[in-house]
Amino acid sequence: MQFSLLHFQALQQPQPSPLTSTHTPIFLQKHITLCTTLNSIFFFHFHTQRYKKGAVQSLQLSSPQSSFTQGNMRPKSQALNLRLLLLGIFFAFFLLFALRSSLSSPQEDLSPISPTSLPKVSNTIKEGKAANCSPTCTKIPTSLAQALIHYTTSTITPQQTLKEISVTSKILVNKSPCNFLVFGLGHDSLMWRELNHGGRTIFLEEDEAWIEQIRQRFPKLESYHVMYDSKVNQADNLMEVGKGPECIGVGDIRHSTCQLALKGLPNEVYDIKWDLIMVDAPTGYYEEAPGRMAAIYTAGMMARNRKDGETDVFVHDVNRVVEDKFSRAFLCDGYMRKQTGRLRHFRIPSHRDGSAKPFCPL
């Protein structure tokens, strides 16, 4: 009996097992524990049976009333064995029920993942939406969509290069929406209007047929017909005229007596305070074509005549003689900020802000 009790106590001690290490999955560890417990119960029952059988045999050998004792002990031992067996089965089912409940618990994760390794997708989306969108930012404007489709499908190269366009677009990024006056109506006109989205962009064009053609395709472009009286072959004479006192005095261009002044423009062109002016017309590339002398001069005088602030003036095709000489003379080298390719950028301040300024900075 002493050997059996010691053996039973040894069975009750937790036995190390290579299968129940920290690297074994939780559900496998629990199954191993259940099997070990059941094994212990039945092993204990087996040794109890052996002990009781040995005890009965000892009593039969040592007592003269062995037959009586044997007759009385057998029913009691069988009843005890049955109780132990039922108790073990009940205990096993209890462990199985507890194990199943723990395995089906939603709080337990079979493959634990560190919380820090999970990406915070929802927070990122919320933050991005709050920072970059507004409740009314549902779709791009129709005019912008039209411009994107037009330039994506067009095979016509704009009059200006990418580097030249970038000079003006950088100014528009800072000033738009603003007032933008463009001498010329071309394949890049839709782009200029959209780069000044929300502002007012007006185009002045010499060719009436071209204006109608563009209006049919892009009716929202605001353009006006303008007539130029001077031609490229008159450039030298007009350069001398422009040095006279009637041409360097600052005032409303509509009342100027200078031969270079454009007076037949719509009144709104004179009334608006322009933030940007682009001179990319008229034609100007052969002797009998209308020249850009008057357009350059008028742009410079409009900038000087504004009540306050500065006007960014751009002249394209400065590789040609007329555009080169007249931009330097009437927009002034001192006001020139940059030249990229065939494009020059001038920034002309108001000459009506109360400070006395010479026509060109010294």
Side-chain angles (χ1 to χ4, degrees), residues 34 37-45 80-98:
L34 177 60
T37 305
L38 292 175
N39 184 46
S40 300
I41 293 171
F42 288 110
F43 199 82
F44 170 69
H45 175 68
L80 180 62
N81 294 341
L82 182 60
R83 290 175 185 175
L84 289 175
L85 181 60
L86 291 176
L87 181 61
I89 292 173
F90 173 78
F91 186 64
F93 274 104
F94 176 78
L95 288 179
L96 181 62
F97 176 77

Side-chain angles (χ1 to χ4, degrees), residues 96-113:
L96 181 62
F97 176 77
L99 178 62
R100 183 177 180 181
S101 301
S102 63
L103 286 174
S104 60
S105 176
Q107 298 178 353
E108 184 176 301
D109 190 3
L110 297 181
S111 56
I113 301 176

Side-chain angles (χ1 to χ4, degrees), residues 49-62:
Q49 289 288 92
R50 291 184 59 186
Y51 165 73
K52 291 185 177 294
K53 185 177 180 179
V56 171
Q57 292 176 352
S58 300
L59 288 173
Q60 289 177 352
L61 294 175
S62 60

Side-chain angles (χ1 to χ4, degrees), residues 11-12 46 55-56 70 108 114 120 131 138 177 203 217 240 258 260 275 311 323 340 344:
L11 289 174
Q12 295 298 102
F46 173 75
V56 171
Q70 183 178 2
E108 184 176 301
S114 174
K120 298 181 180 180
T138 56
F203 302 92
R217 297 177 60 189
E240 294 300 322
C258 180
L260 283 167
D275 300 296
T311 304
E323 286 78 358
T340 300
R344 276 188 194 149

Side-chain angles (χ1 to χ4, degrees), residues 197-253:
H197 184 75
R200 188 170 185 181
T201 306
I202 292 180
F203 302 92
L204 303 176
E205 175 56 38
E206 59 184 297
D207 189 346
E208 288 186 280
W210 178 247
I211 292 176
E212 291 302 319
Q213 184 178 344
I214 294 298
R215 280 179 180 172
Q216 290 179 3
R217 297 177 60 189
F218 310 111
K220 292 186 178 181
L221 284 179
E222 187 177 2
S223 57
Y224 300 95
H225 178 243
V226 57
M227 296 182 64
Y228 297 95
D229 297 329
S230 57
K231 298 180 180 181
V232 174
N233 55 21
Q234 298 174 316
D236 292 339
N237 182 47
L238 290 174
M239 177 65 75
E240 294 300 322
V241 171
K243 296 177 182 179
E246 69 278 9
C247 292
I248 61 175
V250 177
D252 192 333
I253 199 78

